[in-house]
Amino acid sequence: KQEVTQIPAALSVPEGENLVLNCSFTDSAIYNLQWFRQDPGKGLTSLLLIQSSQREQTSGRLNASLDKSSGRSTLYIAASQPGDSATYLCAASSGNTGKLIFGQGTTLQVKP
Amino acid sequence: KAGVTQTPRYLIKTRGQQVTLSCSPISGHRSVSWYQQTPGQGLQFLFEYFSETQRNKGNFPGRFSGRQFSNSRSEMNVSTLELGDSALYLCASSSGGARSVWGYTFGSGTRLTVV
């Protein structure tokens, strides 16, 4: 049974810092690992998707990596801004179904 | 290209009533999944529909049901509402499901409050 864990649960940093969010999963037989952002009371916004055959994906100041052998993914945010404040969720997909297994999320606060 | 549309955005219902939520996926997407999000349990998978067929179901009681129409629009129904059903219900759209290289796109959700 796939389980996804995110550490830390909350993180507060000053503006401009580079930071790393961690995601670990127990079953390496995944198809994709997807990172989402959620603002309070809102839906999920997809940030990056890494296919199982890939090692990393980049979009602007965001870089996500995937290491299936160790069951880990990281989301790197460069030069953080107050607008980056949100909850970040990682989700693993496995099996040919629509089921994503989510971590509990990391709530990020970037202070001006 | 329009995103995933969920209606209504907010609902307040009384315990014991039933409710129907709607989700219109991205045009051309055939997979629609539903999730429940609560502060205590996080995001939990309810079910997935693909081309009008339920492909997978999460660990929820039979009060939770869904369906998908020929135009890929999906509805979720909850009967005999309980206070614990209060949550944000999210719908996700995908072109092909778990193996899709584009992953899932989520709607803004329906906030259900049961009183």
Side-chain angles (χ1 to χ4, degrees):
Chain A
K1 177 186 171 185
Q2 179 74 275
E3 293 182 1
V4 179
T5 304
Q6 290 186 248
I7 295 173
L11 183 63
S12 180
V13 301
E15 182 178 3
E17 271 204 8
N18 302 323
L19 57 103
V20 174
L21 307 182
N22 296 295
C23 171
S24 61
F25 47 93
T26 56
D27 185 353
S28 63
I30 63 171
Y31 290 133
N32 300 318
L33 193 293
Q34 197 165 357
W35 283 91
F36 296 91
R37 167 187 172 139
Q38 185 174 34
D39 292 290
K42 307 291 186 181
L44 307 182
T45 300
S46 180
L47 297 174
L48 289 165
L49 178 144
I50 311 175
Q51 298 174 55
S52 60
S53 59
Q54 298 175 321
R55 295 298 293 261
E56 65 179 303
Q57 283 286 337
T58 298
S59 176
R61 294 183 294 108
L62 305 179
N63 175 278
S65 68
L66 176 64
D67 184 343
K68 286 178 58 179
S69 62
S70 66
R72 293 182 181 181
S73 177
T74 61
L75 179 67
Y76 175 83
I77 302 176
S80 58
Q81 304 170 357
D84 295 330
S85 299
T87 296
Y88 291 81
L89 295 144
C90 69
S93 66
S94 55
N96 194 26
T97 68
K99 187 173 183 178
L100 288 173
I101 306 298
F102 283 87
Q104 290 293 92
T106 294
T107 299
L108 171 66
Q109 182 184 37
V110 181
K111 297 180 178 179
Chain B
K1 176 167 158 178
V4 180
T5 303
Q6 290 190 247
T7 56
R9 289 296 310 277
Y10 302 94
L11 268 177
I12 300 176
K13 289 287 187 179
T14 303
R15 199 169 36 178
Q17 287 186 314
Q18 76 166 19
V19 66
T20 299
L21 313 181
S22 178
C23 172
S24 293
I26 290 172
S27 178
H29 284 192
R30 295 160 65 188
S31 167
V32 174
S33 305
W34 288 88
Y35 291 81
Q36 180 195 66
Q37 186 177 32
T38 59
Q41 299 297 319
L43 276 150
Q44 293 187 289
F45 175 78
L46 282 155
F47 28 66
E48 186 223 9
Y49 287 87
F50 186 90
S51 294
E52 301 180 66
T53 300
Q54 187 182 85
R55 286 208 297 195
N56 197 19
K57 190 176 190 304
N59 189 26
F60 279 82
R63 300 185 297 106
F64 291 81
S65 63
R67 60 178 175 170
Q68 186 179 34
F69 302 95
S70 58
N71 62 358
S72 292
R73 189 178 72 86
S74 177
E75 287 182 347
M76 189 192 93
N77 184 275
V78 188
S79 63
T80 318
L81 284 165
E82 300 177 358
L83 296 179
D85 297 333
S86 295
L88 180 66
Y89 290 87
L90 292 164
C91 163
S93 161
S94 170
S95 59
R99 299 192 188 203
S100 168
V101 298
W102 303 109
Y104 294 88
T105 301
F106 280 78
S108 299
T110 294
R111 170 73 64 184
L112 172 65
T113 302
V114 182
V115 297

